[in-house]
Amino acid sequence: DTEVTQTPKHLVMGMTNKKSLKCEQHMGHRAMYWYKQKAKKPPELMFVYSYEKLSINESVPSRFSPECPNSSLLNLHLHALQPEDSALYLCASSQALQAGENEQFFGPGTRLTVL
Amino acid sequence: GEDVEQSLFLSVREGDSSVINCTYTDSSSTYLYWYKQEPGAGLQLLTYIFSNMDMKQDQRLTVLLNKKDKHLSLRIADTQTGDSAIYFCVLATSGTYKYIFGTGTRLKVLA
């Protein structure tokens, strides 16, 4: 199984809502990533988990809250988002945290719209 | 920080070859990847090259690396309409955690 799955595919939420994005992989990868991608732009790194611990937070606003309940699952909890947070949210995983030696596998993304 | 630039757009006819270019500033990159992204989808790894290589061929794909000029290219032979997508070069350096994405090239294949 070389797949990263993400749910939901699409999400529309109001600025006062609380929602969560989910990501799952069963490749035994120990590093998992959240990226945000705006239209016609490359993905921007948000968070990195290594061995279920948060290793990197790229100065992301606290209205985004990541969680890694186990080695296969990664969640992104959303609360009080702004319309400018509308984007494609991509999850990725790699064998380990060291870039380069470990290629990233990406999920299909969740298209988020904040009204 | 590392700058990775790609031309924004490329249009080719079906059956022709496509060449997508990528230039970068940091010579410490050790792994250089090419990813494909179809509309509204995630990124699919196409191929990669190590910095100690000059060329890698993988079926219709040929990657060329010119370290002196800090230039990476992806050649797609016999381009098909299914190759229409955005292509990102992505650089990584051993011992770091970050993957540096290029600006992306939108390839349009005309039938």
Side-chain angles (χ1 to χ4, degrees):
Chain A
D1 183 1
T2 57
E3 203 182 12
V4 177
T5 59
Q6 289 187 245
T7 54
K9 273 189 156 91
H10 301 276
L11 178 63
V12 180
M13 61 186 289
M15 289 190 283
T16 58
N17 292 158
K18 281 186 186 182
K19 296 284 184 186
S20 296
L21 310 185
K22 181 180 279 190
C23 172
E24 197 163 358
Q25 57 87 15
H26 295 286
M27 294 179 276
H29 288 174
R30 303 318 297 260
M32 295 185 77
Y33 309 75
W34 280 116
Y35 285 88
K36 173 183 176 181
Q37 187 180 25
K38 299 287 266 185
K40 299 183 182 178
K41 296 288 186 185
E44 296 171 22
L45 184 64
M46 299 174 73
F47 302 103
V48 184
Y49 273 82
S50 177
Y51 288 87
E52 297 148 59
K53 286 191 166 54
L54 181 64
S55 295
I56 309 291
N57 176 343
E58 292 281 303
S59 304
V60 179
S62 59
R63 58 186 184 268
F64 295 92
S65 173
E67 180 199 16
C68 190
N70 60 56
S71 59
S72 301
L73 275 176
L74 186 65
N75 297 322
L76 186 63
H77 303 298
L78 314 171
H79 174 52
L81 294 195
Q82 304 295 310
E84 60 264 29
D85 296 320
S86 298
L88 182 69
Y89 287 84
L90 293 164
C91 173
S93 71
S94 63
Q95 187 78 20
L97 186 54
Q98 291 87 4
E101 297 99 273
N102 301 284
E103 63 260 35
Q104 292 186 308
F105 292 79
F106 283 84
T110 294
R111 172 75 57 194
L112 174 67
T113 303
V114 182
L115 300 176
Chain B
E2 169 82 88
D3 273 332
V4 185
E5 295 289 332
Q6 299 178 239
S7 48
L8 276 180
F9 189 75
L10 175 66
S11 177
V12 300
R13 296 214 170 272
E14 195 174 19
D16 287 350
S17 292
S18 310
V19 180
I20 301 170
N21 295 304
C22 172
T23 57
Y24 57 94
T25 55
D26 185 354
S27 56
S28 66
S29 298
T30 45
Y31 296 79
L32 304 100
Y33 300 92
W34 282 102
Y35 281 86
K36 174 185 180 184
Q37 186 176 32
E38 297 188 41
L43 279 74
Q44 174 195 352
L45 178 65
L46 292 177
T47 187
Y48 62 90
I49 191 168
F50 300 124
S51 60
N52 61 359
M53 298 166 67
D54 297 324
M55 186 183 96
K56 181 179 180 184
Q57 189 148 359
D58 188 355
Q59 298 182 330
R60 291 192 298 127
L61 305 178
T62 303
V63 180
L64 293 177
L65 176 60
N66 182 327
K67 288 182 284 292
K68 177 173 162 289
D69 293 340
K70 296 178 191 168
H71 182 265
L72 178 73
S73 67
L74 174 70
R75 179 176 179 270
I76 306 173
D78 186 27
T79 315
Q80 303 296 308
T81 54
D83 295 323
S84 292
I86 300 177
Y87 290 79
F88 290 100
C89 64
V90 182
L91 277 55
T93 304
S94 287
T96 69
Y97 69 87
K98 210 158 184 178
Y99 297 82
I100 309 297
F101 285 78
T103 45
T105 297
R106 182 177 297 271
L107 173 65
K108 184 171 183 177
V109 182
L110 306 169

